[in-house]
Amino acid sequence: MNNDLQKYESWRAITESDFVTMFIKTWFAFVATLRELYPDIQVFDVTGKPRGDRPFTNEYKQSHLNYISKNIDIKEFTNLLYDLYLPSRINVAKVFPQYFFTSFYRMNEEFHYVYDSIEYSDSSKTSIKDRIHIDMIVVDRYEIHGVIQINGKYNKKTYFEQLKFKINVKSHIDVVDCSRNENIVESEYLKFLYSSICNDLDKQIDIKCKSILASSKQTEQIKTLVSTKLHFCANLIRKNFSINFDMPLLHPDKSENEYRLIVQRPFNLFSEFLIAEKSSTQMDYCYKCIRDDGAIWFIDFVVSLRNALFHEIIDPLNELWQKTFKAAYLLLKKILDLNINFLRLIKGCELKLKDYINAQIEKLELPNFSEGAHINTLNIARNSYSNGNIIVTGTCMTDNNVKYEFEALLYDNFNIKQFSTIQMTI
């Protein structure tokens, strides 16, 4: 009986392990389509060494993923992304914890939190009774620079205190123990990070308060007042960061750059959001986020997955890795199919462009061509997708061996929308 069960399990393992093979084959086919999409990108550097896949995937993210996001079945893509997400977080946390943050998060370099509260002594607003000012920004990717200013007048005595602080967020990211499952739950991970960052600020405020209380420059009442206000500022900052633990769209009055120091990809609390009850407005928000960043995150992650498979030690028969590779294969196959379809249309477009140019020459509407010239060959060197238009550039050659460069703007159906003036290549 046990031998039979082992045999059955081995059958299952063999069929499931094929997802790794299918992922590898699909990856190679995907890279092949990128080389067709961008034939002018050099495969080798000046020393003759291979440049790898990065130049192609980087160009793809910039110039082509808008087309993918627009044409893919967004509901199916979102569900497959969810299937990939949870097992991948567990796998990366256990096997590659040093890459956990960069695999699923990034720093928001546009983060900027400002709080300014002013109370005046009179209705004319000429004399400040009490003011609290906080300003925080991200500098040099992982570092927060901030300032807290407290000033005003108490019992006819003016006071002014300022705390300039710096927080190295990378040091807090590095102390998260990703091997503990509770720390990779999306909301818990964010709570740990933000709490650790706020604790860092609390320590700097405590040091400042001790300095203020030990000083003889102000009265005891003012020193106590200022210290209380500094701790009040710390609580304001902590409360502002706590917005990140709520589901999206619960704070429409606030800009995300005011409170989102750490950006989760493809969007905040992604998998927790998908299993929660949602309104149609929240689902629309979800699909918009997936269109904006879902495909880009997937390409970034799948490049890392490819590197892990080829260069690191992982167990391809592990159940969680199987789930990761299965979902990654299915997602990559969807994108590959769209790439292939796009390439077919582009190839058909070459003949369409030749006919278009020759027709324009006959009408004498292309002044750079001599009368009676005829295009023999045409090659598309680069294409991109932007704002619902396809942009193609390349070269063409007339029957008397004169070479020209061209740029064309195409509709979504690949019909010609606009054709730029052709200039002779010197």
Side-chain angles (χ1 to χ4, degrees), residues 285-304:
Y285 170 84
C286 166
Y287 293 142
K288 180 183 183 303
C289 290
I290 296 297
R291 290 191 191 280
D292 289 345
D293 194 47
I296 295 175
W297 172 78
F298 173 69
I299 296 301
D300 285 337
F301 184 77
V302 87
V303 169
S304 300

Side-chain angles (χ1 to χ4, degrees), residues 299-331:
I299 296 301
D300 285 337
F301 184 77
V302 87
V303 169
S304 300
L305 190 61
R306 172 261 188 208
N307 291 340
L309 183 61
F310 290 177
H311 304 300
E312 304 284 353
I313 299 172
I314 63 173
D315 179 6
L317 294 181
N318 174 276
E319 185 178 354
L320 279 175
W321 278 115
Q322 281 298 317
K323 290 180 178 179
T324 294
F325 281 108
K326 178 180 180 179
Y329 155 70
L330 293 171
L331 282 162

Side-chain angles (χ1 to χ4, degrees), residues 104-120:
F104 302 100
Y105 301 89
R106 65 174 176 83
M107 288 292 293
N108 179 12
E109 297 185 47
E110 295 181 1
F111 168 79
H112 189 192
Y113 172 62
V114 177
Y115 176 87
D116 202 35
S117 173
I118 303 176
E119 183 182 348
Y120 293 96

Side-chain angles (χ1 to χ4, degrees), residues 208-216 220 222-225 227:
K208 178 68 175 178
C209 288
K210 287 180 181 178
S211 172
I212 292 170
L213 293 171
S215 172
S216 59
E220 291 301 317
I222 288 178
K223 288 191 288 186
T224 302
L225 176 67
S227 297

